[in-house]
Amino acid sequence: MFVEIITPDRKVFAGEASVVTLPGVDGSFQILNDHAALVSTLEKGTLSADKDVFQIEGGVVEVLNNKVLILAEGIN
């Protein structure tokens, strides 16, 4: 699936990944290929797309048609 991570000032990541792990408000969760459509808020924590790992300051994720769009408040 195609993954994009965007902050207010730049695009941090754009590429293919087979699994994305996100820090959700109620705990971490994973997105795999062909996941159902989803919109969720994210908390501060670790985000990973396969072997790429980022520390985010919270944000929102949208999953639709094998595309994962993460709008992060900030990346450390």
Side-chain angles (χ1 to χ4, degrees), residues 29-46:
F29 63 99
Q30 291 186 324
I31 306 294
L32 302 171
N33 283 327
D34 299 321
H35 196 284
L38 168 78
V39 173
S40 182
T41 56
L42 302 173
E43 287 198 337
K44 181 177 182 177
T46 303

Side-chain angles (χ1 to χ4, degrees), residues 11-52:
K11 184 182 288 190
V12 176
F13 177 85
E16 293 290 323
S18 59
V19 62
V20 178
T21 304
L22 302 157
V25 174
D26 292 326
S28 67
F29 63 99
Q30 291 186 324
I31 306 294
L32 302 171
N33 283 327
D34 299 321
H35 196 284
L38 168 78
V39 173
S40 182
T41 56
L42 302 173
E43 287 198 337
K44 181 177 182 177
T46 303
L47 180 158
S48 64
D50 286 341
K51 295 180 182 178
D52 296 295

